[in-house]
Amino acid sequence: MKIKREELLQKIGEMKASGYSYLVKITAVDYVDHLTALYFIRDIDKNKEETLEIDLVPTDLWLPTIIKEHTSADWYEREMSEMFDIKIKGRKAGRLLLERWDGTQGPLRKGFAWGEDYKSM
Amino acid sequence: MAITRINIGPVHPSTHGVLQLVVDLDGDTIERVDPHIGYLHRGVEKLTETRMYMQNPPYMEKLDYLAPMSYDEAYVSAVEKALGIEVKERAMYIRVILLELQRIASHLFFIGTVGNDLGQMFTLFMWAYMDRDKVLDLLQEATGSRMFYVNMRLGGMLSDLPPDFEERTLETLDYMEKRIKEYESFIEKNPVFHERMKNIGILSPEKALDLGVTGPVLRASGVQYDVRKNSPYYVYDKLHFEIKILTKGDNFARYKLRLLEMRESIRLIKEAFKSMPAGDALGMPVKLRSPPTKNRIACVSREAPKGEVMMYLVADDQKPYRLSIRSPNFINLMAIMHMAKGLRTADLFATLGTLDLVMGCVDK
């Protein structure tokens, strides 16, 4: 289901109220001209799953946090933020979760320069 | 009382891999745990984008080196879905048999290591290791390798099962049933085990769902969700087995549930052998070029021994454009931040042990 970024919080809240209370995964795909953020959410009782898709332009990469609705979003958001440079607004900026470098571009972006950081070492 | 901050790891025998825990203590009571992960992050998802479809299974197997076949199979299934390839019926049965053997091997490893986490050094570990070796012997016979198998091929398997594999497997399974009873008798009559495991690290069903945990950790909290039943794949819907759940959600329930699951796996394998049709099970030989892509996006979920694995594949012509892996260990580990508050320090390791983590899978 394609939605707009501005609709995310409301949609997540509505879905949770209707039984879609289990967050399976958050991830993203870089299609170069745009990025798509994906939220896989499940209704365990009715055994149904929905995927929310949000298209983002590379010059305006941010999403609101959904951590208040789903605690499990914590690490998924941090992972997505590091890997795709998508800023997550509404939560405290913490240390990097998976990375130990100061690179400026997320490794899962298509334009990521492999090995550039190590050439100067 | 003042808070004391201690550091555990990143290389520490109780953390089951390269995991660092920064723990805030009030006396001996845990106030906060902050897991520092990423020491084994090697960019597996990115690596797959640079390799042809069937060059990637060896990378998938290194995610969870205690149940490598589960990840290989999930990835190959996603590729099969993207390319529109049907799996041969006999191959489906073989996959179920081998995956359930893999589940038993993984759970046996858990049984062994959880004893060590409680300070019961090595008796249980050696027992479980010895039994796991018997399962690995079977997997070696079927695949040619003990640890990393890479035996999934598009539409089938690398090879059919050896001629007398069924007899030897059934023999091992009978032995394993006896051994499970012995484990129960050895472990569960031990008062120290009870004290260290019962009512420790309780995870309520509501909290388990909110934290997104899967697999035995979720089912030990009383939530009946198992991909094999809820979204059946291969021949799981034709076979008879139960999804075991326990309601207590403590360390003991997570241990016990894995024993119960091993019994169900034995039942599944026996029935799969009975129902398995004759015929061809071989998949396509690995060639550099794969058949053309039919579906741009393929998403598959599988019930691996440690929880739900999801492969979200955006297919390109001959290699993944993007592969997103849902690692059950990644999200199960996050739960320790919420489960540990209020525990004693020693109980942290018991609770961490019952999450049954593999750091290669957490970090990807």
Side-chain angles (χ1 to χ4, degrees), chain B residues 53 82-83 293 295-298 313-317 319-322:
Chain B
Y53 283 125
L83 306 185
T293 305
N295 303 306
R296 173 80 161 139
I297 290 170
L313 174 70
V314 181
D316 218 339
D317 178 29
K319 57 188 182 185
Y321 180 81
R322 162 95 174 101

Side-chain angles (χ1 to χ4, degrees), chain B residues 292-335:
Chain B
T293 305
K294 289 193 177 159
N295 303 306
R296 173 80 161 139
I297 290 170
C299 184
V300 300
S301 282
R302 294 288 187 259
E303 190 67 38
K306 293 173 181 68
E308 182 178 350
V309 175
M310 191 174 87
M311 297 274 173
Y312 180 82
L313 174 70
V314 181
D316 218 339
D317 178 29
Q318 288 294 320
K319 57 188 182 185
Y321 180 81
R322 162 95 174 101
L323 178 72
S324 173
I325 303 163
R326 184 201 190 275
S327 146
N329 292 279
F330 177 77
I331 204 69
N332 285 2
L333 173 60
M334 197 195 82

Side-chain angles (χ1 to χ4, degrees), chain B residues 64 68 105 109 177 191 211:
Chain B
D64 179 353
F109 193 91
E177 279 178 329
L211 291 173

Side-chain angles (χ1 to χ4, degrees), chain A residues 16 21-32 38 40 42-44 47 49 51 53 69-76 78-79 83-84 95-100 106-112 114, chain B residues 34-39 41 45-47 49-50 207-214 218 223-225 230-231 296-297 299 301 308 310 312 314 321-322 324-326 330-331 333-334 337-338 362-364:
Chain A
K16 195 172 181 189
S21 56
Y22 185 81
L23 178 71
V24 183
K25 164 104 177 145
I26 303 174
T27 190
V29 183
D30 182 0
Y31 289 105
V32 185
L38 299 149
F40 299 89
R42 184 178 291 154
D43 181 337
I44 290 240
N47 202 20
E49 198 170 303
T51 308
E53 297 181 20
E69 295 288 351
H70 297 281
T71 309
S72 53
D74 184 1
W75 280 17
Y76 287 137
R78 285 170 71 180
E79 183 190 22
M83 295 293 152
F84 290 93
R95 62 179 168 77
L96 291 172
L97 183 68
L98 285 164
E99 296 175 356
R100 296 286 182 276
L108 287 177
R109 295 290 299 277
K110 285 292 171 186
F112 179 71
W114 283 76
Chain B
D34 186 12
H36 288 230
I37 62 170
Y39 291 98
H41 178 64
E45 292 178 353
K46 187 73 174 177
L47 275 173
E49 294 173 12
T50 64
K207 198 68 190 162
L209 288 170
D210 187 39
L211 291 173
V213 296
T214 47
L218 181 66
V223 180
Q224 192 153 24
Y225 191 87
N230 290 64
S231 308
R296 173 80 161 139
I297 290 170
C299 184
S301 282
E308 182 178 350
M310 191 174 87
Y312 180 82
V314 181
Y321 180 81
R322 162 95 174 101
S324 173
I325 303 163
R326 184 201 190 275
F330 177 77
I331 204 69
L333 173 60
M334 197 195 82
M337 293 161 71
H338 302 268
V362 172
D363 293 341
K364 290 189 286 191

